[in-house]
Amino acid sequence: MSITRLTQRALPALVGGAVAVAALSAPADASSGWWYSSGHGASGYYNHVSQRATACDIKTDGYKAVVQITRATGTWYSVATDSHNDGACTSETPSPLFEGATKKIRVCVQKGSSKPVKCSAAHEFQV
């Protein structure tokens, strides 16, 4: 087999392999990870790259999904809510989260304007 023909056959495989290795070695999406409320009525996360929090109502139960993040004082505030179990989520940009800060996130459900309930465990993540 000639060198030219060998190169023509091997080059696509080498390029494909290089792309696969690059994709595998790229840093993971900088997010808090997906979190679920107790009872799995809501899910959500914070994405550091887009600086957006996403809430997803995933159960038709009369509750809305709420993603909460801690303030500098340690108190919780709601940064994104979604009240439609329609396969879509709602993303919001919270007030700036300071670079290098450690924050906590949790996902809850909430009925009307009452206090959020069935919250996930608090998860620390780096901004």
Side-chain angles (χ1 to χ4, degrees), residues 76-122:
W76 293 101
Y77 74 105
S78 298
V79 294
T81 61
D82 182 56
S83 56
H84 307 287
N85 180 16
D86 59 2
C89 300
T90 301
S91 295
E92 300 288 339
T93 303
S95 59
L97 300 178
F98 298 102
E99 195 73 31
T102 299
K103 293 290 185 179
K104 291 182 182 178
I105 186 171
R106 69 181 183 180
V107 178
C108 309
V109 294
Q110 182 178 16
K111 189 167 278 215
S113 60
S114 62
K115 182 179 174 180
V117 295
K118 299 183 181 179
C119 297
S120 67

